[in-house]
Amino acid sequence: MSRTFQVDLRGVVDLLSRHLYSSPRVYVRELMQNAVDAVTARRAGDPGAPAEIALEVGDGVLRVTDTGIGLTEAQVHELLATIGRSSKRDELGFQRHEFLGQFGIGLLSAFLVADEVRVVTRSAGGGPAVAWTGRSDGTYAIEPGERDTAGTTVTLHARPGAEEWFAPATVAELATLYGSMLPFGITVDGRAVTTPVPWARDDRAPGQRQADLVGYAQDTLGFTPFDVVELDVPAAGLTGVAYVLPFPASPAEHGGHRVYLKRMLLAENAPGLLPDWAFFARCVVDAGELRPTAGREALYDDGQLDATREALGDQLRGWLTGLARTAPDRLNRFLGIHHLGVKALALHDDEMLRLVDQWWPVETNVGRMTMAEFRGRYGLLRYCATTDEFQQLAGVAAAQDIAVINGGYTYDSELAERMRALEPDLTVTRLDPSDLTTAFAELDSATALATRPFVAAAQRHLDRLGCEVVLREFQPSSLPVLYLLDRAAAFAGELKATKDQVDELWAGVLSAFEKPADDRPQLVLNHRNPLVRRISGLEDDTLLGLAVESLYGQALLFGRHPIRPADAALLNRSFLGLLEQAVPEEETR
């Protein structure tokens, strides 16, 4: 007698195929999962019961046979004909904590690739075998079945167009992918597909076990890891390994992890298992307490996953600090590959901050050294916030015996400021160009008086560019001029440029942020430079103006400053003017 499902099966199958599962290939996993649950349930009451799951495929037909607990006719009605009856499923012995399935819909995934599903089952508790046949038109039938032993056989016939999913090679590949680590004997056409768990604690020698772990990464993940970190989170029932990547990885690209739930593969690229800063590792883990999403292809993001993520982060952090204590050379090699991840962690973790402080060398204008070495040598941390600032100021600062760190690399400025967390009394300062001006020597009074007309003339020529001319003495003497733009002057310049581009209303609003006019960039001429001294003695005002404008342009280029249209016009004019002065006109005959 045919009976009707209690839901619209066509609608449910459409939901599964379009929204729940990413691919029809999961049907193999769902059938294996049901078989595993059945075997687990039987062995819970009879530990000596056989534990075998066999897949047989050929001519568009797949049979999955297990030696599990089986079902009575009443249980068939409860489990196979009613969608989502998880509570009744628990009453029948499939408690959620012990089994893979949680949603009571796994068998329906078979309708993704077949129009008919036939289940022949016999309960281990006694009673005759029962045959249940479900069809994609929403009907099912129950009749006596033929089976001599307890267990279940599920048979599928490929739907037209789905034959590819029933190819023997495809079924074997999917069974191996999902079930290779299951604790039962799994065979496909008589060939075993299960393998030992590579991180299991067994009687292998430590060296062999390590070789197996590395070999697994090579075969499965496609790389030879820099190191292998063992993971264990008892609260999540999680064991496994983190493979440290042997090549740089982008912090913005958080790689996925291979996650098993109770030894059945959940996902090959599950996100969110590790903290964001641990992008240098890829995990392979098995967990018993983490929850899967409804499609069982990712982890459910809940408090349990948050706690697990934090615990795994602590274990990777412990591995890093262990390297610092026992293998500093290896730590240096690791930092050479993955310094961004460690520095990102150090932004909020004092232990990692100490590691970066002691081990990661930063660029300075007096050579590469760690922040700890810099601090020990100079008693403070002085840095340039950008690489452009460092390139502009490093050489001149070094000549004035001012040591400075290039903080323009990712996180370096922030880490320098964070060092106060380790030493509250430490002086941490950002080098401002105005700091260099105070380090330059003033001219003696007689020289200052003699060069005052020159400075005034030079200022007159550069006033239209909003630049202040200063005459000082500094090292190196080979450098004739330096353009210094402190942060206040830079802000004023950006504000003026913005006001010139916006409408009158916004220009008025921005005027409220204007600062006094003395916040101007400085063109510092070096009186120790022979060329500057010769220019300061010029009596021809036109030639003096061309020379000063040329020095201004050279300072912009040397300091890698942006060239405005007015600056470009000045450079062109001064260059051509000097050429005219150097090449006199031919006398007309």
Side-chain angles (χ1 to χ4, degrees):
M1 179 179 65
S2 293
R3 309 185 187 195
T4 304
F5 281 100
Q6 297 180 25
V7 297
D8 180 356
L9 184 58
R10 290 188 183 90
V12 172
V13 172
D14 181 69
L15 174 66
L16 294 178
S17 60
R18 294 179 183 271
H19 303 291
L20 190 60
Y21 296 127
S22 62
S23 166
R25 71 176 189 165
V26 300
Y27 88 97
V28 173
R29 182 196 67 193
E30 296 294 330
L31 294 178
M32 292 175 61
Q33 176 176 286
N34 288 343
V36 169
D37 282 353
V39 171
T40 302
R42 183 175 181 184
R43 288 171 67 89
D46 181 8
E52 298 173 2
I53 300 171
L55 287 76
E56 297 174 298
V57 60
D59 298 327
V61 179
L62 172 64
R63 292 183 180 84
V64 180
T65 301
D66 66 66
T67 58
I69 196 169
L71 301 173
T72 64
E73 181 175 347
Q75 292 167 347
V76 166
H77 284 289
E78 293 289 352
L79 290 179
L80 302 186
T82 305
I83 308 303
R85 291 293 296 275
S86 295
S87 60
K88 174 58 69 174
R89 191 173 190 272
D90 291 348
E91 293 172 15
L92 297 175
F94 295 89
Q95 291 84 4
R96 293 187 180 191
H97 181 76
E98 300 294 336
F99 300 94
L100 295 167
Q102 296 184 17
F103 301 95
I105 58 176
L107 188 61
L108 290 182
S109 66
F111 288 107
L112 297 174
V113 294
D115 287 326
E116 183 177 281
V117 178
R118 182 173 175 80
V119 178
V120 178
T121 182
R122 183 168 185 171
S123 173
V130 179
W132 175 92
T133 303
R135 291 173 287 273
S136 60
D137 63 2
T139 63
Y140 73 94
I142 295 179
E143 58 188 357
E146 295 183 4
R147 184 180 176 93
D148 296 332
T149 59
T152 301
T153 297
V154 180
T155 303
L156 309 182
H157 292 263
R159 171 191 299 146
E163 292 85 358
E164 61 177 306
W165 298 110
F166 286 75
T170 300
V171 173
E173 179 184 352
L174 293 176
T176 302
L177 174 68
Y178 290 114
S180 62
M181 291 193 187
L182 288 170
F184 308 128
I186 312 290
T187 62
V188 178
D189 291 333
R191 184 179 63 85
V193 299
T194 51
T195 58
V197 177
W199 58 85
R201 296 290 181 179
D202 48 32
D203 57 0
R204 286 174 294 172
Q208 181 60 51
R209 186 169 178 275
Q210 181 71 12
D212 290 345
L213 289 171
V214 171
Y216 180 86
Q218 294 170 334
D219 295 341
T220 306
L221 304 181
F223 62 83
T224 300
F226 176 86
D227 206 347
V228 181
V229 183
E230 302 216 29
L231 305 173
D232 186 12
V233 184
L238 183 146
T239 60
V241 291
Y243 290 109
V244 180
L245 297 175
F247 46 79
S250 169
E253 298 177 4
H254 306 297
H257 308 280
R258 197 176 183 89
V259 177
Y260 293 79
L261 288 187
K262 299 183 178 71
R263 309 272 289 271
M264 174 76 81
L265 180 67
L266 176 76
E268 297 174 88
N269 288 287
L273 185 64
L274 291 181
D276 288 344
W277 56 262
F279 58 86
F280 54 80
R282 297 291 180 269
C283 293
V284 182
V285 300
D286 177 54
E289 302 297 330
L290 297 182
R291 293 173 56 196
T293 58
R296 290 195 282 277
E297 296 183 300
L299 292 170
Y300 188 77
D301 199 351
D302 57 7
Q304 178 82 330
L305 181 58
D306 289 340
T308 301
R309 186 185 299 120
E310 182 177 349
L312 293 176
D314 289 342
Q315 292 178 28
L316 284 174
R317 184 186 293 108
W319 169 77
L320 282 171
T321 56
L323 281 185
R325 291 192 307 270
T326 62
D329 291 341
R330 189 165 178 77
L331 175 64
N332 282 328
R333 292 198 299 274
F334 168 81
L335 290 175
I337 302 171
H338 295 297
H339 56 278
L340 285 179
V342 177
K343 290 197 291 184
L345 174 59
L347 292 178
H348 54 82
D349 186 284
D350 288 349
E351 193 169 357
M352 288 299 100
L353 182 62
R354 291 188 181 90
L355 186 147
V356 171
D357 180 41
Q358 294 292 329
W359 294 100
W360 178 243
V362 293
E363 181 182 4
T364 80
N365 62 342
V366 289
R368 291 187 68 82
M369 65 183 72
T370 66
M371 287 190 183
E373 292 171 333
F374 189 99
R375 193 170 66 251
R377 185 178 301 179
Y378 300 104
L380 52 71
L381 288 180
R382 183 188 294 111
Y383 66 92
C384 290
T386 68
T387 298
D388 284 342
E389 276 188 11
F390 180 80
Q391 292 173 341
Q392 294 162 14
L393 305 176
V396 178
Q400 318 313 312
D401 293 327
I402 297 176
V404 61
I405 294 169
N406 182 1
Y409 293 107
T410 305
Y411 303 132
D412 281 0
S413 293
E414 295 92 331
L415 290 174
E417 292 289 347
R418 267 269 294 150
M419 287 300 171
R420 293 192 183 95
L422 302 183
E423 294 187 20
D425 296 332
L426 176 67
T427 298
V428 181
T429 181
R430 175 179 173 179
L431 179 67
D432 193 282
S434 60
D435 298 336
L436 291 179
T437 308
T438 60
F440 295 159
E442 297 276 355
L443 303 183
D444 62 74
S445 57
T447 303
L449 182 62
T451 57
R452 186 176 297 170
F454 162 69
V455 174
Q459 185 65 66
R460 187 172 61 255
H461 284 284
L462 294 183
D463 265 341
R464 66 185 182 278
L465 298 173
C467 181
E468 179 185 1
V469 178
V470 179
L471 189 61
R472 295 285 188 272
E473 292 185 345
F474 57 87
Q475 295 293 345
S477 59
S478 59
L479 181 64
V481 65
L482 191 64
Y483 184 83
L484 297 181
L485 181 67
D486 65 16
R487 289 192 289 277
F491 174 80
E494 293 174 2
L495 186 63
K496 182 179 183 303
T498 304
K499 285 180 59 181
D500 292 341
Q501 297 175 10
V502 300
D503 58 32
E504 184 177 350
L505 174 62
W506 280 107
V509 173
L510 293 175
S511 296
F513 296 94
E514 289 184 336
K515 294 186 176 182
D518 57 354
D519 286 333
R520 297 191 297 171
Q522 291 184 328
L523 186 72
V524 185
L525 302 174
N526 186 4
H527 193 257
R528 288 182 179 174
N529 181 265
L531 177 61
V532 172
R533 288 200 297 271
R534 291 202 301 273
I535 293 173
S536 68
L538 291 174
E539 296 182 358
D540 185 331
D541 186 68
T542 299
L543 184 58
L544 183 147
L546 291 172
V548 170
E549 289 174 351
S550 296
L551 288 176
Y552 171 84
Q554 194 261 354
L556 291 181
L557 295 173
F558 174 80
R560 297 179 176 87
H561 296 284
I563 304 296
R564 301 170 298 175
D567 299 329
L570 176 143
L571 281 168
N572 184 61
R573 182 175 63 253
S574 62
F575 175 73
L576 294 177
L578 288 175
L579 279 181
E580 289 181 359
Q581 294 284 337
V583 184
E585 295 182 5
E586 293 185 6
E587 296 182 2
T588 58
R589 297 180 181 177

